[in-house]
Amino acid sequence: MSTVTTPADTLGGRAYWAVADCWTLVRRTLLNYRRQPIAIVWQLGFPIVSVLLYGFVFGSAMRVPGGGDYREFLMPGMFTMTMAFGLMNTATAVVSDSGKGVVDRFRSMPMAPSAVATGRGLSDLLVAAAELAILAATALAIGWTSDGGTGPTLLGFGLLLLLRFSLIWVGVWCGLMVPNTEAAGALYAVIFPVTMISSVYVAPSLMPSWLGPVAAWNPISSTVTATRELFGNPGADGGTWVEQHAVLMAFAWPLVLTAVFLPLAVRRYQALSR
Amino acid sequence: MHEHAVLAEGLRKRYGKKNDATHALDGFDLAVRAGTVHGLLGPNGAGKTTAVRILATLLKPDGGQARVAGVDVTRDPRAARARIGLVGQYAAVDEGLTGRQNLELFGRLFHLGARRARTRAAELLDRFGLTEAADKGAGQYSGGMRRRLDLAASMILAPAVLYLDEPTTGLDPRARGEVWDAVRTLVAGGTTVLLTTQYLDEADRLASRITVMDRGRAIADDSPDGLKDRVGGDRVEVVVAEHADLPAARAVLARVAGTDPRTDESERRVHAPVTDRVAALTEVARTLQREGIAVEDLALRRPALDDVFLRLTGQEAAA
């Protein structure tokens, strides 16, 4: 028979268990992927198919402002789009856990309450890093390269993960708002056009004059343009202020998103006990 | 050991805005003796799940207080959480993991440490008859197996109090039997169980005491037999072979019992409460035979909890 262990009520004890419980929940996600490694391939299916479709089928018809190879232009967009679609992973995981009563069970256990969120966040970041690695390998295989040097290249991937980090909170909030996984699937109807009306596939300067600014100011575009710039890929120059300060904006947008959605997600989670 | 494992007094909870608020709980009292199975019964919307969620620290009450194993659930929820287990209406297990991985995961989250989590998982798999399926994905488990895994996960710390919120909803009869056996094993090990259910036979089989809820309050609290006695003791029940004989059988029963019998047309059944049990049964049998009424079944029955339910709440039981 095991004894009852409550987390130590000291600050240090609480901090220890906050980290330990977070790591246990990360292991849970990683074990899921280890048992079903194919899941990660499914998630990468869309960007990889997009690379092949847009890169090779439409590629010759696509224009890059200022000239340059379309596939070189496309890859930063694909990296960013994969990060943006990661929002769906977060929302689906959250809604499936709360729907099945897993969240209720966690909340009725003497574990660190913060671990439910931090565990989700860290898992999603690790999965996102793995996705980027696989996608980068695919990109290298079709001839993409980063000409920006080691520092800027790492910064570029850092900015991609920062975008993914901010979308964790959007995903948690969405996951707590929708009633079931089917409804979470409907989020695609929002995310898909949001990623399309951006600089992922086409430069905003080539869009109609009323749509171009919308696409340029899309937070996703800032990360796309910033990584194009940092990877030395074509199409990074744009006429607007937001495009000329893409790296700055690729920091700013995720911080704004986090500042808005992290409190919303926390409040939504706390509302579960009201 | 506290005499009462669960003690709730005057719990109140309402949802929604002030003007059109609905009272989920409206002065709910509950006392559960340690080491027993206590049934919480009531129609849909009576407040059963709200009560359990408050007692499991998932929901804050608007008023009243509750203690679980001596700990106040609103003042010290973390201490309360170390003393309770919760099995909700869905099996809260990770279907992507094996049974063993699920239990080890929960063991770690209960802060047992890796090695003790591993041995505890093995113990519980064995105790709930899941050792053979331990390394299969929980997604491949049958409904009953998933429930047992769920029960095992809630038992990792051997909690003082276990809440079972409609644990057999949606299970086939065989799986329900498996869950019942598992619950009996737990209680034999000293756990107190608070069971909410819509199935009256489930409460009847498992619980030594039952609280009946309606509109957010406890309207009765008694042993199953005590509740049945309130409805008026035993009854004689006749099932006729031919539907046409139903009025005649009804007349016979009315004459012997001296009250108006209840009739179930579709099952060709009439029944009425009786006081002088065997004498009444013999009299009914003799009269039916004399009048040439073909009988399919004739018996003296204890009242079912359905009768209690109907009498107390004025509503048919959900099941």
Side-chain angles (χ1 to χ4, degrees), chain A residues 185-267:
Chain A
L187 285 172
Y188 264 121
V190 180
I191 294 173
F192 192 66
V194 167
T195 54
M196 294 297 278
I197 304 170
S198 73
S199 58
V200 166
Y201 294 103
V202 177
S205 61
L206 300 179
M207 294 179 188
S209 60
W210 56 271
L211 191 61
V214 176
W217 280 91
N218 184 338
I220 288 171
S221 298
S222 294
T223 304
V224 175
T225 309
T227 44
R228 275 182 193 139
E229 194 179 315
L230 293 164
F231 295 158
N233 293 145
D237 322 312
T240 61
W241 182 90
V242 68
E243 289 167 295
Q244 281 156 6
H245 299 82
V247 175
L248 173 72
M249 291 307 288
F251 275 106
W253 275 126
L255 294 180
V256 169
L257 284 173
T258 305
V260 173
F261 283 95
L262 177 60
L264 281 178
V266 168
R267 194 188 308 176

Side-chain angles (χ1 to χ4, degrees), chain B residues 236 251-261 271-276 280 283-284:
Chain B
V236 168
V252 170
L253 208 52
R255 204 157 59 233
V256 176
T259 57
D260 199 18
H271 59 86
V274 293
T275 40
D276 46 353
E283 180 62 23
V284 169

Side-chain angles (χ1 to χ4, degrees), chain A residues 1-2 4-6 9 14 17 21 27-28 31-32 35 100-101 104-110 273-274, chain B residues 13 53 58-60 78 81-82 86 92-94 96 98 101 106 108-111 137 150 153 156 158:
Chain A
M1 197 61 65
S2 41
V4 170
T5 39
T6 38
D9 255 337
R14 285 198 192 202
W17 285 119
D21 291 346
R27 285 193 38 174
R28 173 190 177 216
L31 278 173
N32 261 297
R35 283 183 47 79
K100 279 190 305 180
D104 278 352
R105 168 159 285 158
F106 288 159
R107 291 173 64 230
S108 75
M109 286 169 61
S273 56
R274 279 199 291 272
Chain B
K13 179 76 191 172
R53 290 179 70 81
L58 295 178
L59 207 58
K60 290 196 180 79
R78 292 202 315 146
R81 283 172 197 148
L86 171 69
V93 294
D94 191 323
T98 66
Q101 285 171 334
F106 284 115
R108 282 164 181 263
L109 290 175
F110 275 115
H111 303 158
D150 200 24
I156 283 170

Side-chain angles (χ1 to χ4, degrees), chain B residues 212-236:
Chain B
V212 182
M213 284 188 83
D214 192 34
R215 282 168 221 158
R217 307 177 71 110
I219 54 169
D221 181 88
D222 211 332
S223 64
D225 281 340
L227 285 175
K228 289 173 193 168
D229 284 344
R230 294 188 190 197
V231 189
D234 294 357
R235 66 191 189 195
V236 168

